Amino acid sequence: MPAPDTDARRRRLLLGLAALPLGCATGPATTGDEAAQEVADGVFLLPGVRGEIGPDTRGRVGNAGFIVGPGGVIAIDSGTSHRHGLARLAAIRRVTAQPLRALVLTQARQEFLFGATAFQAAGVPVAMHRDAARLMVSRCEGCLKTLVSLLGADEMAGTRVPRPDTEILSPDTADRLPDIGRPVRLLMAAPGQPGVSPGHLAVLDERTGTLFAGALLDAGAIPDVQDADLAGWHAALADLRRRSLQHIIPGHGPASSPALIDRVERYLTQLAARTAALLATGMPLSEVADAADLPEFATDDHYDTTHRRNASIVFLRQERALMLGTGTRTSPN
């Protein structure tokens, strides 16, 4: 195993090569290549690309990353396919020779989880919240078929729905990650408390105040409310504000400052207010997606797709709550 200063030199060399212009022999050559970005000391982002899941992006739109400690590495999220997982595994190994102790899957979304089998084949155990694992089992065989149709059998070769080696059950077990010689904490909703999606996790490197936000935060991209309880999501964002955060690695988009928390909260607040206003006018559901414009977010990725779906989802929940006389709570249930 190389000495720590050798690892540091290797990281600096890799980051220098990643900064070279496209077209240089040592730089990334295609959309799908992986190059680590050091966001804070020993904390790295493996960025997804901008855009929708499709052949032009190879579906590789979700962020991943890893934390390097003197006792090993913890990886966070894994990519869209077995091939993508192999690329991300190789990117980690180009940065450090420290052993990979665990892979944490933060959520049951396709761009974050299907690379996990590549890590497991390399002997890396996968941890996931029990509720997210159940959601993955219920939905992701269908996701996989859709990805094969969109991206092609070759791109998705060897990909299957992973099975976590460890299921996280509650906040009481949230700190039971392998010890890598630096404090790494899992953040999650309390049992029975709804949030952004069932069993969502975030990963906090306490030494640098760097948060891998998972489904909680997206930068320059519209967050997906399909599985969310908006009240629970707001509560989770309030909890993040109480923490000493310095850097945010969102589920999608570039590394950001804690100001991203406020921007995501503004989106959720404006979305609910806009759909409530449309409901009050008696607008039919068929017209909601076109009418639910939010100019502040109109240039974000997925505005024409995810935002339109979000508007319809929240409108329907508000309509149902109104009919049932339960107010305007926007939970998925």
Side-chain angles (χ1 to χ4, degrees):
M1 181 183 299
D5 61 333
T6 304
D7 264 352
R9 286 195 297 271
R10 181 179 292 147
R11 290 201 299 268
R12 288 194 293 269
L13 175 60
L14 174 66
L15 295 168
L17 294 178
L20 289 173
L22 294 179
C24 294
T26 50
T30 68
T31 298
D33 287 347
E34 297 289 325
Q37 301 172 5
E38 190 164 21
V39 173
D41 182 31
V43 182
F44 294 83
L45 164 65
L46 294 169
V49 298
R50 292 193 61 173
E52 303 283 350
I53 291 177
D56 56 333
T57 63
R58 299 170 71 186
R60 300 183 177 194
V61 299
N63 289 335
F66 56 101
I67 302 166
V68 181
V73 179
I74 291 175
I76 300 97
D77 291 324
S78 64
T80 311
S81 65
H82 185 80
R83 182 176 294 174
H84 195 192
L86 289 173
R88 288 188 154 166
L89 190 59
I92 295 171
R93 286 173 168 162
R94 286 194 295 270
V95 171
T96 179
Q98 294 279 21
L100 268 159
R101 300 297 189 190
L103 166 67
V104 177
L105 297 180
T106 63
Q107 56 193 294
R109 288 189 63 178
Q110 55 199 5
E111 62 263 44
F112 301 99
L113 62 87
F114 279 122
T117 53
F119 285 76
Q120 287 176 314
V124 182
V126 172
M128 191 178 196
H129 193 283
R130 177 187 58 192
D131 293 344
R134 289 176 175 174
L135 182 62
M136 178 176 66
V137 168
S138 71
R139 128 180 339 170
C140 288
E141 288 291 353
C143 297
L144 180 54
K145 291 178 182 177
T146 300
L147 286 173
V148 172
S149 176
L150 284 172
L151 306 180
D154 179 66
E155 181 65 35
M156 299 300 295
T159 304
R160 58 180 175 80
V161 178
R163 297 182 63 179
D165 300 285
T166 300
E167 291 189 356
I168 304 297
L169 303 180
S170 74
D172 295 334
T173 59
D175 293 325
R176 295 181 187 175
L177 286 174
D179 182 8
I180 62 168
R182 63 190 293 167
V184 178
R185 180 183 295 271
L186 290 179
L187 307 181
M188 69 182 74
Q193 177 181 331
V196 58
S197 65
H200 67 89
L201 299 174
V203 182
L204 175 62
D205 177 65
E206 294 189 314
R207 178 181 297 174
T208 64
T210 303
L211 179 75
F212 288 85
L216 283 170
L217 298 169
D218 287 320
I222 298 295
D224 192 337
V225 307
Q226 178 180 0
D227 299 311
D229 176 280
L230 296 193
W233 200 335
H234 284 294
L237 297 180
D239 176 71
L240 294 184
R241 285 196 190 88
R242 291 190 288 267
R243 299 181 181 275
S244 299
L245 302 180
Q246 300 298 319
H247 312 280
I248 303 287
I249 296 178
H252 303 88
S256 305
S257 75
L260 180 61
I261 299 169
D262 294 332
R263 190 173 195 275
V264 170
E265 183 152 60
R266 286 199 307 276
Y267 173 77
L268 298 176
T269 300
Q270 291 180 31
L271 173 66
R274 182 62 178 151
T275 54
L278 296 176
L279 179 62
T281 69
M283 178 170 287
L285 175 63
S286 60
E287 298 177 15
V288 168
D290 290 329
D293 53 307
L294 296 180
E296 180 181 354
F297 305 95
T299 60
D300 283 13
D301 282 357
H302 319 310
Y303 183 79
D304 292 330
T305 52
T306 303
H307 171 64
R308 291 170 63 85
R309 184 174 71 244
N310 286 348
S312 297
I313 289 170
V314 174
F315 181 91
L316 277 172
R317 293 175 187 168
Q318 291 172 335
E319 185 178 51
R320 182 177 63 178
L322 188 64
M323 289 189 297
L324 295 175
T326 56
T328 58
R329 183 176 177 84
T330 52
S331 76
N333 300 314

